[in-house]
């Protein structure tokens, strides 16, 4: 699991025979906020927000204990020109998301501060990554936060926190991305402060869900046969500041974690992908992550 605000403290958790920390104090970056695991090679990547870096750990295949990592600062990348135009939020690179490509040839990192996605060549046999190169440059001040991939098509969808935009990208085999389409995550004419946060795509590749903190809503987008999104719904998130949600395809539910109100709200997913509140809520103060075993 990832813990903050300590400086780069990742923690391995051993689930059997008893719950407990397998190893603590993996300190290789500041404020880790997202992790990605390649199970076949037993390699772990960590996005460190405040240090604007990615740490890459080969794991022991038996115990899961991490070896010494390779650490890459996005400010050192040859393709990094400058931070974004928002001087308060983009004074330096801020890695916010990491993920391995479906073909297991690339590790990608979304960087809010650099207005960029970086690509690391991944070698699953050698269990190593090459230094990062620029894979996509977001519009200045957009603040890209998280990415989701289409389950069948070579497409990626990036939610940008500062511009409240959803970008559709063509994912190339060389690890690069090309912008195709852009939509706002907010209703037309909205003028209040808001920050887009989480994104998920359903297993069928037909619907995308994005949370809006401030507007306190979930935006639902339909995907056509070419994978191009169109807005079909905004629904109130059932609390304040929906930082994260869990999309449960099998249960036909979406569970929203509203950070500042400290509540979980459960929504039913209709046949057309739209959301309807069930009225089920749960108090979880300061919720910032939702996951499930497996």
């Amino acid at each position: 699991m990832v813990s903050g605000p300590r400086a780069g403290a990742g923690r391995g958790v051993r689930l059997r025979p008893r719950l407990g920390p397998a190893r603590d104090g993996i300190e290789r970056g500041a404020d880790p906020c997202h992790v990605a695991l390649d199970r076949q090679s037993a390699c772990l990547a960590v996005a460190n927000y405040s240090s604007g870096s990615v740490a890459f750990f080969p794991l022991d295949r038996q115990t899961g204990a991490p070896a010494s990592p390779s650490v890459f600062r996005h400010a050192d990348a040859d393709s990094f020109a400058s931070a974004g135009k928002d001087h308060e939020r983009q004074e330096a690179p801020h890695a916010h998301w990491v993920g391995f490509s479906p073909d297991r040839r690339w590790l990608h990192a979304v960087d809010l501060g650099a207005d960029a996605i970086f690509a690391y060549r991944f070698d699953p046999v050698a269990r190593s990554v090459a230094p990062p190169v620029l894979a996509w440059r977001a519009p200045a001040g957009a603040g890209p936060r998280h990415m989701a991939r289409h389950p069948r098509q070579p497409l990626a969808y990036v939610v940008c926190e500062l511009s409240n935009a959803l970008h559709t990208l063509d994912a190339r085999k060389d690890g690069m991305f090309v912008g195709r389409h852009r939509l706002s995550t907010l209703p037309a004419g909205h003028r209040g402060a808001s920050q887009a946060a989480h994104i998920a795509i359903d297993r069928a590749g037909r619907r995308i869900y994005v949370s809006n903190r401030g507007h306190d809503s979930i935006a639902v987008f339909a995907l056509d046969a070419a994978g191009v999104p169109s807005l079909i719904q905004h629904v109130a998130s059932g609390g304040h500041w929906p930082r994260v949600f869990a999309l449960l395809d099998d249960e036909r539910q979406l569970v929203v974690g509203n950070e500042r109100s400290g509540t979980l709200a459960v929504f039913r997913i209709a046949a057309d992908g739209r959301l309807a509140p069930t009225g089920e809520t749960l108090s979880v103060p300061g919720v910032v992550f939702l996951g499930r075993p497996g």
Side-chain angles (χ1 to χ4, degrees):
M1 73 189 197
V2 174
S3 61
R6 292 175 50 193
R11 179 178 298 173
V13 174
R14 186 180 291 115
L15 296 181
R16 294 185 179 90
R18 62 184 178 85
L19 183 65
R23 180 181 174 186
D24 201 354
I26 308 164
E27 307 204 358
R28 296 295 187 271
D31 295 330
C33 59
H34 194 263
V35 300
L37 175 67
D38 182 71
R39 292 182 181 273
Q40 289 180 258
S41 66
C43 290
L44 179 76
V46 180
N48 297 301
Y49 181 84
S50 292
S51 56
S53 63
V54 169
F56 177 85
F57 298 86
L59 305 178
D60 184 285
R61 295 182 186 275
Q62 298 300 317
T63 67
S68 295
S70 301
V71 181
F72 302 89
R73 295 175 65 250
H74 288 165
D76 297 333
D78 290 340
S79 52
F80 177 72
S82 62
K85 71 176 186 178
D86 186 320
H87 299 303
E88 181 178 344
R89 296 292 311 280
Q90 297 182 303
E91 81 293 348
H94 292 302
H96 215 308
W97 180 96
V98 283
F100 293 94
S101 62
D103 62 10
R104 301 179 65 234
R105 296 175 57 200
W106 300 96
L107 170 69
H108 288 106
V110 178
D111 194 305
L112 184 149
D115 276 334
I117 298 175
F118 291 95
Y120 297 73
R121 170 72 77 170
F122 173 49
D123 186 334
V125 176
R127 304 175 77 200
S128 65
V129 291
V133 296
L134 182 68
W136 180 66
R137 177 68 74 188
R145 179 182 173 95
H146 281 193
M147 181 168 77
R149 291 181 178 273
H150 196 284
R152 291 185 303 278
Q153 300 191 50
L155 296 170
Y157 303 91
V158 176
V159 61
C160 292
E161 176 175 335
L162 303 183
S163 64
N164 297 295
L166 173 65
H167 288 261
T168 303
L169 311 179
D170 288 308
R172 300 186 344 192
K173 291 183 179 180
D174 63 359
M176 304 296 106
F177 296 97
V178 178
R180 176 196 283 196
H181 189 263
R182 178 192 179 280
L183 279 176
S184 175
T185 66
L186 296 170
H190 177 75
R191 292 292 180 267
S194 195
Q195 298 175 9
H198 196 58
I199 181 172
I201 184 170
D202 70 359
R203 194 161 50 208
R206 296 179 57 246
R207 297 292 183 266
I208 284 178
Y209 301 87
V210 175
S211 65
N212 293 304
R213 299 171 298 177
H215 186 252
D216 291 344
S217 66
I218 305 296
V220 184
F221 298 87
L223 297 176
D224 66 16
V228 177
S230 59
L231 179 70
I232 61 171
Q233 184 190 26
H234 281 102
V235 61
S237 67
H240 181 34
W241 213 251
R243 176 165 178 158
V244 67
F245 57 83
L247 175 59
L248 308 177
D249 278 284
D250 292 336
E251 294 86 349
R252 302 299 297 167
Q253 291 183 330
L254 188 137
V255 181
V256 180
N258 294 288
E259 181 183 4
R260 294 186 180 176
S261 59
T263 54
L264 298 185
V266 181
F267 293 80
R268 182 176 60 255
I269 303 176
D272 64 359
R274 287 178 168 86
L275 301 176
T278 65
E280 297 178 69
T281 61
L282 180 68
S283 176
V284 183
V287 57
V288 296
F289 175 78
L290 292 172
R292 64 190 307 171

